[in-house]
Amino acid sequence: MCLDQVTLHGQIERMIGAGVKAVHIDLIDPHYGNLGLPPTLIADIKEHFDLTVETHLMVGRPAEYVYEVRLLGSDRILVHQSQIDEAVAEVLVQASENGAQIGVVVNADQRIDVDLAESVTASQITVMTVRPGGAGRPFIASALQNIADADTLRQRRVIERVEVDGAVGARTIGQLLDAGAHQFVLGSSAFKNRRFSEQEYHDIVAPALVGTHR
């Protein structure tokens, strides 16, 4: 939702040219106080581009959407830790068995439930560094501890990836890298006026590319 949908095809082509390997699609309903993108966008992107599609379910009833987004071609399915009950866990495990990668999303005011992550065969922890549900929200520094905790799990091979979602920009990337993150969701920081900016993108990713941080 940070990109102009009318020019989306050209925007994605520019992103690929800059080195982007995956797209992150927010599916949001009023439970999170906003509206996100339509699920059919997943299939459209998979049809036209060789990209990993990661779907972030910010919906009141995620169990109802897991099968649908997998069927549409989503490679990774992310669900908020606070919404994973027995029914949601069951469909996530089924999706994993059918080839999807599962991610558990942890808000800044929560701590990682390791047992829960293992029970849904999560390969990824996504740490929210803003309040979820909208673009351009302020960075929450206390979330850095969750990143460090998730990186410990990665080192222990409980998960494979530590991702950060929210306020990822040139001013925060160093802290995020130092805390242990190595996968980033870029939103309004990289998409000025809802257009992909190569300069903003490279300003953000440069510290990781040149190895100035861990």
Side-chain angles (χ1 to χ4, degrees):
M1 62 185 173
C2 291
L3 282 174
D4 179 357
Q5 301 301 296
V6 175
T7 61
L8 187 60
H9 191 281
Q11 300 287 335
I12 293 177
E13 287 184 328
R14 290 173 60 192
M15 289 162 56
I16 292 172
V20 172
K21 304 297 183 185
V23 292
H24 178 99
I25 296 177
D26 287 328
L27 298 187
I28 312 175
D29 70 11
H31 181 85
Y32 279 84
N34 206 340
L35 293 174
L37 298 167
T40 50
L41 181 60
I42 299 167
D44 293 340
I45 290 175
K46 294 299 289 187
E47 179 180 356
H48 294 284
F49 300 101
D50 183 20
L51 285 169
T52 296
V53 173
E54 176 177 276
T55 306
H56 183 177
L57 295 178
M58 285 185 276
V59 294
R61 298 178 178 177
E64 298 178 5
Y65 290 89
V66 170
Y67 177 76
E68 179 181 358
V69 300
R70 179 57 183 158
L71 193 63
L72 288 168
S74 184
D75 301 290
R76 299 180 193 146
I77 302 171
L78 313 183
V79 177
H80 281 253
Q81 176 176 278
S82 58
Q83 291 191 286
I84 301 178
D85 56 18
E86 186 175 339
V88 175
E90 183 177 348
V91 295
L92 288 175
V93 170
Q94 290 173 356
S96 176
E97 291 172 347
N98 287 322
Q101 298 174 49
I102 304 303
V104 174
V105 183
V106 182
N107 292 341
D109 61 352
Q110 300 171 329
R111 288 297 171 259
I112 299 169
D113 186 331
V114 180
D115 292 337
L116 182 65
E118 290 184 309
S119 73
V120 297
T121 63
S123 60
Q124 173 175 312
I125 297 290
T126 296
V127 177
M128 296 298 304
T129 48
V130 299
R131 182 171 61 86
R137 295 182 174 179
F139 179 68
I140 302 174
S142 60
L144 293 170
Q145 184 58 56
N146 277 337
I147 298 173
D149 293 344
D151 188 46
T152 298
L153 296 179
R154 183 190 63 81
Q155 294 178 46
R156 289 170 44 197
R157 301 184 184 277
V158 175
I159 59 171
E160 298 173 11
R161 296 178 302 279
V162 180
E163 179 179 74
V164 173
D165 185 356
V168 177
R171 294 182 179 180
T172 60
I173 189 69
Q175 299 176 72
L176 302 176
L177 287 164
D178 285 342
H182 60 278
Q183 183 169 294
F184 306 95
V185 178
L186 301 183
S188 55
S189 296
F191 307 132
K192 299 298 184 184
N193 300 313
R194 304 190 74 210
R195 297 287 194 278
F196 177 72
S197 166
E198 285 89 349
Q199 184 59 57
E200 294 290 342
Y201 173 75
H202 286 295
D203 286 348
I204 294 168
V205 302
L209 295 176
V210 301
T212 56
H213 294 79
R214 54 183 274 172

